Amino acid sequence: MDKKIRVRFAPSPTGYLHVGGARSALFNYLFAKKTGGTFILRIEDTDQNRFVENACKEIYDSLKWMGLDWDEGPEMGGSFGPYVQSERLDIYKKYAQELLDKGHAYRCFCTPERIAAVREAQEKAKQPAGYDKSCRNLSKEQIQENLDKGMPYVIRFRIPAGRVVAFNDRIRGNIEYSSDILDDLVLIKTDGFPTYHMANVVDDHLMEISHVLRGDEWIASTPRHVLIYEAFGWEPPEFAHLPVILSPDGGKLSKRKGAASVMDYKRGGFLPDALFNFLAFLGWSPGDDREKMPKAELIDAFSLDQVSPKASVLDEKKLEWMNGLYMAECSTDVIMNEVLPVWIEKGWVNATASSSDPRLVSIVDIMKIRAKRLTDLADNTFYFFVDPVEYEEKAVRKNFTPASKVLLETIHRELTAVNDFSHESLEALYRTIAEKTGVSSGQLIHPTRLSISGVSFGPGLFELMELFGKETVLRRIENAIKKIA
Ligand code: GLU
């Protein structure tokens, strides 16, 4: 293979960039980086009805956040631009004219009403739906007459009859379609805009795309594209259709069933590197038991041959687990940048607080190794800053009993007497209290934890106590004792 590798991610700006799209972008990116190729971003915005304001910006922001930087495309430029299809309309018109001239395309003057009536009749007769080709063989004179009358028209591709259209899919192997089931598809619409098929093929050719890596839902378009390449006399790129992504319950991924946007994951407290790693495994695996693979390792290991045609399930639990691994390793600075503004907004921390404040740094350090999401650090850290006023109900029933009240009073007395509030010495002290009172250390630890944090889970108790300091711990235990009374 001596052809230069050029791949593209070609989203339509019809909404957010969801995980399926991000997975396609990511596979293109990995393939380009692995092979020393070029990763191109192209915006396919020729369907004016589906256009959504700001969708392009959302796509750019999402890709950048995930570290999927493109080599050519909007904002980056490149020598094959423009990379936004609505800026290339003249190009598509010129190539449509070429197909008209060669007889591979024809003008169709059928009105939307007629097309609808044809469809209705086909449905009634239980025939396959499709254009009935009535304008296929209009005479030159008829065409001219219609044009003179200013009748609107579309340009349709003349699908050759009785052909077997075959292409080799890098993931699925050889695929064949009979051309007889293919409709004479529209290339240029009445408004002069190209359809997806036309613009996609022309651009993939002009942008010298070597490999088309796209979602499985486009596979039925490929035989049409192959015929269009052939009509132009162009060599088609290689195709690889990426496997379907299923929602956790096995159905097709949809907005309601887990097809969150990339930005939803950002807001949900996921780290971009974790999402990157996770998406790479939707349909691909390195062929060994590695799962946590940072970007550079993924690039190094990536190969199209390891992409499976089997559907893959989006398992959010796994994503959370993976995010936890990345959180634990993530630098305190990066996490601090995310959580400090939230703490300030909640009024827990002074607006002038510094991100290098040793106490805040300790909170991040103690929490990041057990958090699954960044949002855990924002939501589950209140007790570092404010005294609990409510206590976890279930834990109260177990740990705020008359017996634990007596123990808490003992603990309070013992703690009042100590000066060394390091976690080591606190741990030793609790051991001594347990021996003296003849209870298990759990019977001391659980009520203490609930008293000082209001919840039954979190970092090690003695580390927490050290961080809170003597005054706070004593005050909170007193409050809890009152609460039990
Ligand atoms: N514009 C199409 C999309 O929104 C691109 C499909 C393709 O990659 O050919 O997914």
Side-chain angles (χ1 to χ4, degrees):
M1 210 193 322
D2 47 7
K3 216 158 94 181
K4 270 199 70 199
I5 291 192
R6 292 174 56 82
V7 290
R8 85 308 191 268
F9 175 52
S12 300
T14 53
Y16 304 120
L17 180 64
H18 58 84
V19 278
R23 197 272 309 257
S24 295
L26 190 133
F27 278 40
N28 276 286
Y29 176 91
L30 288 176
F31 184 60
K33 296 299 144 185
K34 168 72 190 215
T35 55
T38 306
F39 173 53
I40 296 149
L41 174 64
R42 182 172 77 221
I43 297 295
E44 302 208 325
D45 60 343
T46 60
D47 192 345
Q48 295 292 297
N49 299 323
R50 292 172 66 217
F51 191 76
V52 175
E53 187 86 11
N54 285 332
C56 285
K57 181 166 186 308
E58 168 97 11
I59 291 169
Y60 305 158
D61 289 349
S62 303
L63 291 174
K64 285 182 208 162
W65 179 70
M66 282 198 62
L68 293 167
D69 300 299
W70 52 100
D71 304 309
E72 285 176 29
E75 295 186 350
M76 282 301 297
S79 36
F80 295 81
Y83 294 90
V84 176
Q85 288 187 329
S86 58
E87 295 167 21
R88 301 170 62 81
L89 299 181
D90 290 342
I91 300 175
Y92 310 124
K93 278 188 193 142
K94 178 183 137 211
Y95 282 99
Q97 187 60 50
E98 183 180 326
L99 290 182
L100 280 175
D101 294 344
K102 287 181 172 166
H104 291 301
Y106 61 93
R107 292 186 179 82
C108 165
F109 297 91
C110 292
T111 60
E113 292 74 28
R114 176 168 190 282
I115 302 278
V118 167
R119 169 154 312 155
E120 209 176 298
Q122 284 165 336
E123 271 165 20
K124 267 205 192 122
K126 300 218 169 359
Q127 284 169 353
Y131 178 58
D132 66 355
K133 305 188 172 125
S134 93
C135 291
R136 230 188 198 223
N137 298 311
L138 293 181
S139 68
K140 267 207 176 105
E141 294 70 33
Q142 274 169 308
I143 295 171
Q144 196 51 54
E145 202 184 309
N146 290 345
L147 289 177
D148 291 343
K149 277 195 264 179
M151 279 172 73
Y153 63 88
V154 300
I155 298 178
R156 285 186 186 272
F157 187 67
R158 192 186 296 273
I159 294 273
R163 284 274 311 276
V164 173
V165 190
F167 60 93
N168 180 51
D169 185 281
R170 281 289 294 266
I171 298 167
R172 299 172 173 273
N174 197 48
I175 296 183
E176 290 185 356
Y177 276 81
S178 157
S179 72
D180 292 334
I181 64 158
L182 305 176
D183 207 7
D184 278 359
L185 58 121
V186 175
L187 300 173
I188 303 281
K189 296 175 276 189
T190 38
D191 61 6
F193 276 71
T195 54
Y196 155 71
H197 303 292
M198 176 69 183
N200 191 269
V201 166
V202 167
D203 285 348
D204 281 347
H205 173 72
L206 294 180
M207 294 180 184
E208 294 179 12
I209 300 302
S210 61
H211 295 73
V212 167
L213 275 54
R214 63 181 164 207
D216 184 87
E217 68 272 28
W218 298 101
I219 206 158
S221 297
T222 306
R224 297 168 169 86
H225 296 184
V226 168
L227 288 172
I228 301 174
Y229 280 105
E230 187 185 287
F232 277 120
W234 297 338
E235 191 196 332
E238 286 195 51
F239 295 100
H241 290 92
L242 309 174
V244 179
I245 304 175
L246 299 175
S247 69
D249 69 5
K252 207 174 143 31
L253 203 63
S254 66
K255 187 78 197 158
R256 278 204 349 269
K257 288 205 226 151
S261 72
V262 168
M263 286 301 165
D264 284 338
Y265 284 103
K266 179 173 193 271
R267 284 184 285 270
F270 291 97
L271 294 170
D273 292 350
L275 187 60
F276 193 106
N277 189 159
F278 174 75
L279 290 182
F281 276 74
L282 288 184
W284 173 86
S285 91
D288 49 43
D289 54 10
R290 277 178 295 175
E291 286 201 279
K292 178 168 178 291
M293 295 177 72
K295 195 172 177 180
E297 212 177 305
L298 285 169
I299 291 173
D300 190 53
F302 189 78
S303 136
L304 274 184
D305 301 330
Q306 303 271 24
V307 178
S308 155
K310 280 206 289 268
S312 49
V313 177
L314 189 131
D315 178 355
E316 283 229 5
K317 283 272 160 302
K318 187 173 166 192
L319 172 58
E320 272 203 334
W321 164 77
M322 186 158 283
N323 202 56
L325 301 183
Y326 278 86
M327 288 279 298
E329 274 182 10
C330 188
S331 85
T332 303
D333 284 353
V334 169
I335 297 188
M336 184 69 81
N337 275 339
E338 298 290 331
V339 297
L340 184 57
V342 183
W343 289 343
I344 292 174
E345 198 190 303
K346 289 186 187 267
W348 292 345
V349 170
N350 214 305
T352 53
S354 148
S355 57
S356 53
D357 177 327
R359 198 174 99 85
L360 300 182
V361 168
S362 302
I363 298 174
V364 168
D365 284 341
I366 200 174
M367 290 302 283
K368 73 174 189 180
I369 48 172
R370 37 178 64 80
K372 291 217 156 54
R373 304 176 179 214
L374 276 170
T375 43
D376 292 345
L377 263 88
D379 300 338
N380 298 338
T381 47
F382 69 93
Y383 51 73
F384 287 99
F385 309 105
V386 285
D387 290 358
V389 283
E390 281 170 34
Y391 303 87
E392 201 184 300
E393 232 173 80
K394 218 170 129 200
V396 163
R397 263 177 268 136
K398 253 173 85 184
N399 298 312
F400 278 1
T401 60
S404 42
K405 185 182 169 201
V406 177
L407 289 173
L408 281 171
E409 281 163 352
T410 307
I411 291 169
H412 188 274
R413 232 183 359 260
E414 297 278 347
L415 288 175
T416 311
V418 298
N419 289 321
D420 181 359
F421 233 67
S422 68
H423 66 271
E424 295 95 342
S425 105
L426 289 167
E427 190 170 353
L429 177 69
Y430 266 63
R431 225 176 294 125
T432 319
I433 304 176
E435 273 161 27
K436 273 203 245 168
T437 52
V439 300
S440 71
S441 41
Q443 280 168 285
L444 303 172
I445 287 174
H446 300 313
T448 311
R449 174 187 293 288
L450 189 60
S451 304
I452 66 170
S453 73
V455 290
S456 61
F457 56 90
L461 176 69
F462 305 114
E463 286 160 298
L464 268 190
M465 291 171 78
E466 179 180 333
L467 247 168
F468 289 179
K470 184 170 169 177
E471 201 189 311
T472 301
V473 169
L474 288 177
R475 183 181 65 245
R476 292 184 180 184
I477 293 178
E478 268 164 52
N479 291 344
I481 291 171
K482 279 187 216 143
K483 163 96 186 168
I484 305 175

